[in-house]
Amino acid sequence: MSTELTFQTIAQLADALAAGTVSSVELTQAAIDRATAVDDRVKAFNSVNPEDALAQAAASDARRSVGQARGPLDGIPVSLKDVIAVRDQPLTASSKMLENFVSPYDATVTEKLKAAGAVLWGRANLDEFAMGSSTENSAFQTTCNPYDLDRVPGGSSGGSAAAVAAGEAVATLGSDTGGSIRQPAAFCNVVGLKPTYGLVSRYGLAAFASSLDQIGPFTRTVEDAAIMLGAIAGHDPRDSTSFKTDVPDYRAALSEKKGPWKLGIPKEYFGEGLDPEVGAAIEKAIAFYREQGCEIKEVSLPHTPYCLSTYYIIATAEASSNLARYDGIRYTHRSADAQDVVDLYFKSRAEGFGPEVKRRIILGTYVLSSGYYDAYYLRAQKVRTLIRQDFLNAYEQVDAILTPTTPTPAFKAGEKAADPLAMYLSDIYTIGVNLAGLPGISIPAGFTSAGLPIGLQLIGQPYAEADLLAIAHAYDTAHDWHSQRPEL
Amino acid sequence: MADTPELDIDRVAHLARIALTPEEKTAYAAQLGDVLKHIKQLEQVDVTGVEPTAHAFAVENVWADDVAQGGLPVEEALRNAPQQRQNMIVVPKVVE
């Protein structure tokens, strides 16, 4: 029974908690037990604090016993990617630079989840500072794909995806700069939602690329994603890029908004490099929507071939600027043998950052440096305009865009580690969404013959999460991929 | 630009304030050379008259009322300082 509990959905568990057939302490203990049983193999968590989680759970049960339960997340174990601040908990960003850092404050999403009564449990592993596509760049451990431990869970939010897939948490939060929620969700057979840029506050998220980063949920179902998004979305004066908008009832919208919808299929996403089994699963999903009466239209996103280059210029440029704060002075690793302050910068950063982070800082510094700015950074910003315009043009004809989330299923650990460019190509279908600032969701869409999960990506119009979730929900409820479990 | 973009790894590492080992310099120069070759494809795009996008949605100045608000207490702000003394962060000597 106890293992079964953590594989249920938020919606199911909220009902069980409300009915009194399970307590938050029992549920939280089940998550702790599950992590104890499998996390030495999955390695989803950088750190856990069972006593703290059980105290939160007991508080939830106490609230409920006096009729003060706060809603569907009250008492549900939720884990956060180890780049999101939780007061008095470690925040390592999976980097030696922050190995001993303890957050002095809560991120806005943390405050909101606490207010909703969620039990915050476990710090989920990631590629260092969210830079990577496999979670192999963590300074501490490589998370394994629960469906095949020899394969990567995707990245950078690999720990968050694997924790849900392995039943170590009911839901998690990740962050997505170029696909870091959707790609691992696809690799791990879970739902991953990247909201529209500005819908969810970034306050308290360790910054990677500020014009691209968004926090979003991993869940088992689209309905659960709607519950989580409703809890974390909304304007925040502490994030000046946060959008002033009302937060609709995303869960209610799942049943209120009915198709048929017009769905666009971008021809550029179905060419060379797409694994045939992934392609076949997506074709079946297209056929499903057609059977539901949806109009399927081919659309063109002609600047797709330039997304990867544009992304790696903009993201590394912003990263080189953002990560300048890790200087060895105020709250980070400090080199023990520096001669003076400047030497302290050089050595602390050399010791604290891992290879991929250094590689990206170097690239970002180069593209912003005198003599190269116009050729690289400014040109990339202009191409970004064209990429965004491609999507907006498509939305004159369709409600949403349907694609594979990734060109291939999960690859083997070590397979792409020595070739950054090959690794970067695994994000080819997700990065355009970040450049354009759009919402995107990956939902389970089947398995390869080898038993590896396949993800279906739906891309929505800006701030149209309610529609996007309703479209995804139609597929999700008509298929039972999400009820599959890895053998661990 | 030349066919193979030049990357003066010493200059860039200095700008980035990262001490690189000789092995790292060799590896990064080769790997980043490959990435830069890929990135050069952006030269094929006609960007004549195209405005640059810094954010996907127009970001305007956000004004806050000039009202004092509480911040982190000193001990919390210094909680993660590598070295501190008398509510200040200790650093190596800056002025000779």
Side-chain angles (χ1 to χ4, degrees):
Chain A
M1 176 64 190
S2 120
T3 300
E4 298 294 308
L5 270 182
T6 60
F7 280 98
Q8 292 190 23
T9 65
I10 295 171
Q12 290 168 330
L13 290 165
D15 288 347
L17 287 162
T21 54
V22 68
S23 70
S24 176
V25 167
E26 286 175 281
L27 175 56
T28 302
Q29 187 61 54
I32 294 166
D33 291 346
R34 180 67 177 166
T36 305
V38 302
D39 208 54
D40 60 333
R41 284 168 285 152
V42 178
K43 303 186 181 77
F45 291 135
N46 283 340
S47 62
V48 292
N49 190 334
E51 295 77 19
D52 177 59
L54 287 168
Q56 295 175 62
S60 169
D61 288 336
R63 277 195 297 275
R64 195 175 295 281
S65 70
V66 293
Q68 290 178 351
R70 292 172 180 171
L73 283 173
D74 201 341
I76 304 285
V78 175
S79 306
L80 306 192
K81 185 177 184 178
D82 203 3
V83 277
I84 298 172
V86 179
R87 187 183 159 87
D88 297 332
Q89 286 194 16
L91 187 162
T92 70
S94 288
S95 178
K96 287 182 184 165
M97 189 60 96
L98 294 174
E99 190 165 9
N100 300 311
F101 185 89
V102 177
S103 295
Y105 63 88
D106 280 333
T108 297
V109 292
T110 304
E111 279 182 359
K112 284 172 173 277
L113 286 177
K114 284 182 175 176
V119 173
L120 300 181
W121 139 256
R123 305 290 300 166
N125 193 25
L126 63 144
D127 285 299
E128 184 177 356
F129 285 106
M131 297 180 187
S133 311
S134 66
T135 317
E136 292 168 290
N137 294 334
S138 168
F140 306 126
Q141 56 182 347
T142 297
T143 301
C144 299
N145 191 311
Y147 285 87
D148 180 345
L149 295 172
D150 292 333
R151 290 178 189 268
V152 303
S156 66
S157 311
S160 300
V164 175
E168 298 176 66
V170 177
T172 57
L173 289 186
S175 62
D176 190 316
T177 305
S180 283
I181 291 174
R182 291 158 289 152
Q183 186 253 26
F187 282 6
C188 293
N189 194 44
V190 294
V191 173
L193 171 67
K194 184 208 92 79
T196 307
Y197 183 80
L199 184 64
V200 177
S201 169
R202 294 182 293 110
Y203 178 80
L205 169 71
F208 163 14
S210 299
S211 79
L212 303 166
D213 297 341
Q214 265 292 284
I215 294 171
F218 288 90
T219 54
R220 297 194 193 292
T221 62
V222 173
E223 182 180 23
D224 282 4
I227 293 169
M228 287 287 284
L229 183 64
I232 61 172
H235 177 251
D236 177 14
R238 292 177 298 190
D239 173 359
S240 59
T241 61
S242 161
F243 193 71
K244 285 185 179 160
T245 181
D246 292 331
V247 177
D249 185 338
Y250 295 112
R251 192 180 185 186
L254 299 178
S255 49
E256 286 164 8
K257 290 182 178 285
K258 297 192 189 310
W261 297 281
K262 287 183 191 167
L263 299 180
I265 311 297
K267 59 184 178 187
E268 292 84 1
Y269 283 52
F270 289 83
E272 194 187 344
L274 177 61
D275 178 274
E277 288 191 281
V278 174
I282 302 310
E283 291 296 338
K284 280 188 188 167
I286 293 169
F288 165 81
Y289 280 110
R290 193 178 276 122
E291 286 160 18
Q292 303 300 305
C294 293
E295 188 180 337
I296 307 293
K297 295 185 77 155
E298 183 176 287
V299 294
S300 179
L301 303 171
H303 292 90
T304 297
Y306 305 107
C307 283
L308 191 64
S309 296
T310 303
Y311 173 80
Y312 274 94
I313 291 171
I314 290 172
T316 59
E318 293 184 10
S320 74
S321 173
N322 271 327
L323 272 65
R325 73 190 62 177
Y326 302 108
D327 54 8
I329 302 291
R330 292 160 297 160
Y331 51 81
T332 61
H333 166 78
R334 177 182 286 193
S335 176
D337 63 348
Q339 306 302 311
D340 54 40
V341 168
V342 176
D343 195 38
L344 182 70
Y345 297 153
F346 277 91
K347 285 184 176 153
S348 299
R349 289 162 66 78
E351 295 167 10
F353 291 137
E356 181 64 19
V357 174
K358 287 179 191 170
R359 189 153 47 226
R360 295 202 198 190
I361 291 174
I362 297 286
L363 179 61
T365 303
Y366 173 74
V367 299
L368 288 177
S369 65
S370 173
Y372 298 98
Y373 180 92
D374 286 3
Y376 290 116
Y377 187 64
L378 187 62
R379 177 169 282 266
Q381 286 191 310
K382 290 178 178 176
V383 179
R384 182 175 183 181
T385 304
L386 298 172
I387 291 166
R388 179 164 182 266
Q389 196 58 50
D390 281 353
F391 281 98
L392 298 182
N393 290 344
Y395 287 136
E396 289 180 6
Q397 303 176 60
V398 297
D399 300 309
I401 290 170
L402 186 157
T403 78
T405 307
T406 59
T408 68
F411 45 90
K412 288 203 163 156
E415 191 177 312
K416 302 185 183 197
D419 185 349
L421 203 51
M423 182 76 84
Y424 299 167
L425 283 166
S426 70
D427 297 330
I428 193 83
Y429 299 148
T430 49
I431 51 182
V433 173
N434 298 76
L435 291 166
L438 301 169
I441 189 168
S442 179
I443 58 177
F447 293 84
T448 66
S449 51
L452 298 173
I454 294 169
L456 165 68
Q457 179 176 234
L458 291 158
I459 306 167
Q461 302 190 24
Y463 302 105
E465 273 79 357
D467 298 278
L468 178 67
L469 288 162
I471 296 168
H473 184 65
Y475 179 93
D476 196 36
T477 48
H479 298 79
D480 70 347
W481 309 119
H482 59 254
S483 63
Q484 305 288 314
R485 294 178 197 179
E487 288 175 24
L488 280 167
Chain B
M1 265 191 282
D3 285 345
T4 306
E6 57 177 277
L7 178 73
D8 182 344
I9 195 83
D10 289 313
R11 173 174 174 264
V12 180
H14 179 77
L15 289 172
R17 301 291 186 268
I18 299 178
L20 296 181
T21 65
E23 294 75 26
E24 284 177 321
K25 286 180 189 173
T26 306
Y28 288 164
Q31 288 167 339
L32 293 175
D34 289 346
V35 173
L36 287 172
K37 267 184 225 163
H38 186 82
I39 283 173
K40 274 178 68 71
Q41 64 159 199
L42 291 189
E43 291 174 21
Q44 300 161 9
V45 185
D46 182 2
V47 292
T48 312
V50 176
E51 290 291 317
T53 293
H55 274 85
F57 303 100
V59 176
E60 295 171 359
N61 282 338
V62 178
W63 304 102
D65 292 335
D66 189 12
V67 178
Q69 295 179 28
L72 283 179
V74 172
E75 57 273 19
E76 285 294 311
L78 291 179
R79 182 172 181 169
N80 294 287
Q83 207 184 338
Q84 58 174 299
R85 192 189 310 147
Q86 295 173 333
N87 281 346
M88 290 179 281
I89 295 170
V90 177
V91 296
K93 194 163 76 171
V94 177
V95 181
E96 291 299 325

